[in-house]
Short mmCIF file of all heavy atoms in Angstrom, two decimals:
data_model
loop_
_atom_site.label_atom_id
_atom_site.label_comp_id
_atom_site.label_asym_id
_atom_site.label_seq_id
_atom_site.Cartn_x
_atom_site.Cartn_y
_atom_site.Cartn_z
N SER A 364 98.13 121.37 20.34
CA SER A 364 97.69 122.57 21.05
C SER A 364 98.34 122.67 22.43
O SER A 364 98.73 123.74 22.87
CB SER A 364 96.14 122.57 21.19
OG SER A 364 95.70 123.76 21.82
N ASP A 365 98.48 121.52 23.08
CA ASP A 365 99.09 121.49 24.43
C ASP A 365 100.55 121.93 24.37
O ASP A 365 101.00 122.73 25.20
CB ASP A 365 98.99 120.09 25.04
CG ASP A 365 97.59 119.82 25.55
OD1 ASP A 365 96.74 120.72 25.58
OD2 ASP A 365 97.33 118.63 25.91
N VAL A 366 101.30 121.41 23.41
CA VAL A 366 102.72 121.75 23.35
C VAL A 366 102.89 123.22 22.98
O VAL A 366 103.80 123.89 23.45
CB VAL A 366 103.50 120.82 22.38
CG1 VAL A 366 103.23 121.15 20.93
CG2 VAL A 366 105.00 120.93 22.68
N MET A 367 101.98 123.78 22.15
CA MET A 367 102.07 125.21 21.82
C MET A 367 101.78 126.03 23.06
O MET A 367 102.48 127.03 23.32
CB MET A 367 101.07 125.54 20.70
CG MET A 367 101.47 124.97 19.36
SD MET A 367 100.24 125.28 18.06
CE MET A 367 100.53 127.02 17.74
N CYS A 368 100.78 125.67 23.83
CA CYS A 368 100.50 126.39 25.06
C CYS A 368 101.70 126.36 26.01
O CYS A 368 102.05 127.38 26.61
CB CYS A 368 99.27 125.79 25.76
SG CYS A 368 97.71 126.16 24.96
N LYS A 369 102.29 125.19 26.13
CA LYS A 369 103.46 125.05 27.03
C LYS A 369 104.61 125.94 26.56
O LYS A 369 105.33 126.53 27.37
CB LYS A 369 103.89 123.59 27.10
CG LYS A 369 102.91 122.71 27.86
CD LYS A 369 103.31 121.24 27.83
CE LYS A 369 102.31 120.36 28.53
NZ LYS A 369 102.65 118.90 28.44
N GLN A 370 104.81 126.01 25.23
CA GLN A 370 105.90 126.81 24.74
C GLN A 370 105.62 128.31 24.92
O GLN A 370 106.52 129.08 25.22
CB GLN A 370 106.18 126.47 23.26
CG GLN A 370 106.79 125.08 23.10
CD GLN A 370 107.29 124.80 21.69
OE1 GLN A 370 107.10 125.61 20.76
NE2 GLN A 370 107.95 123.68 21.51
N VAL A 371 104.37 128.71 24.74
CA VAL A 371 104.01 130.10 25.00
C VAL A 371 104.26 130.45 26.46
O VAL A 371 104.82 131.51 26.78
CB VAL A 371 102.54 130.38 24.60
CG1 VAL A 371 102.10 131.76 25.10
CG2 VAL A 371 102.36 130.26 23.10
N ILE A 372 103.80 129.57 27.35
CA ILE A 372 103.99 129.82 28.79
C ILE A 372 105.47 129.87 29.13
O ILE A 372 105.95 130.72 29.90
CB ILE A 372 103.26 128.74 29.63
CG1 ILE A 372 101.76 128.91 29.45
CG2 ILE A 372 103.67 128.82 31.08
CD1 ILE A 372 100.94 127.72 29.99
N SER A 373 106.25 128.96 28.56
CA SER A 373 107.70 128.94 28.78
C SER A 373 108.36 130.24 28.32
O SER A 373 109.18 130.79 28.99
CB SER A 373 108.32 127.75 28.05
OG SER A 373 109.74 127.77 28.14
N TYR A 374 107.92 130.72 27.16
CA TYR A 374 108.47 131.98 26.65
C TYR A 374 108.14 133.11 27.59
O TYR A 374 108.99 133.95 27.90
CB TYR A 374 107.90 132.25 25.23
CG TYR A 374 108.43 133.54 24.62
CD1 TYR A 374 109.62 133.52 23.91
CD2 TYR A 374 107.74 134.72 24.77
CE1 TYR A 374 110.12 134.69 23.35
CE2 TYR A 374 108.23 135.90 24.22
CZ TYR A 374 109.42 135.87 23.51
OH TYR A 374 109.90 137.03 22.98
N MET A 375 106.91 133.18 28.07
CA MET A 375 106.49 134.24 28.97
C MET A 375 107.25 134.17 30.30
O MET A 375 107.62 135.18 30.86
CB MET A 375 104.99 134.16 29.21
CG MET A 375 104.15 134.48 27.99
SD MET A 375 104.49 136.12 27.30
CE MET A 375 103.85 137.16 28.62
N GLU A 376 107.50 132.96 30.77
CA GLU A 376 108.28 132.81 31.99
C GLU A 376 109.71 133.32 31.82
O GLU A 376 110.28 133.91 32.73
CB GLU A 376 108.27 131.36 32.44
CG GLU A 376 106.93 130.88 32.99
CD GLU A 376 106.92 129.41 33.30
OE1 GLU A 376 107.84 128.69 32.85
OE2 GLU A 376 105.96 128.96 33.98
N ASP A 377 110.26 133.13 30.62
CA ASP A 377 111.60 133.60 30.34
C ASP A 377 111.68 135.12 30.26
O ASP A 377 112.76 135.70 30.31
CB ASP A 377 112.14 132.97 29.06
CG ASP A 377 112.49 131.51 29.23
OD1 ASP A 377 112.62 131.08 30.39
OD2 ASP A 377 112.62 130.81 28.21
#
Side-chain angles (χ1 to χ4, degrees):
S364 183
D365 284 351
V366 75
M367 291 176 74
C368 287
K369 289 176 183 177
Q370 290 189 354
V371 170
I372 292 168
S373 174
Y374 181 87
M375 292 302 292
E376 290 174 345
D377 287 343

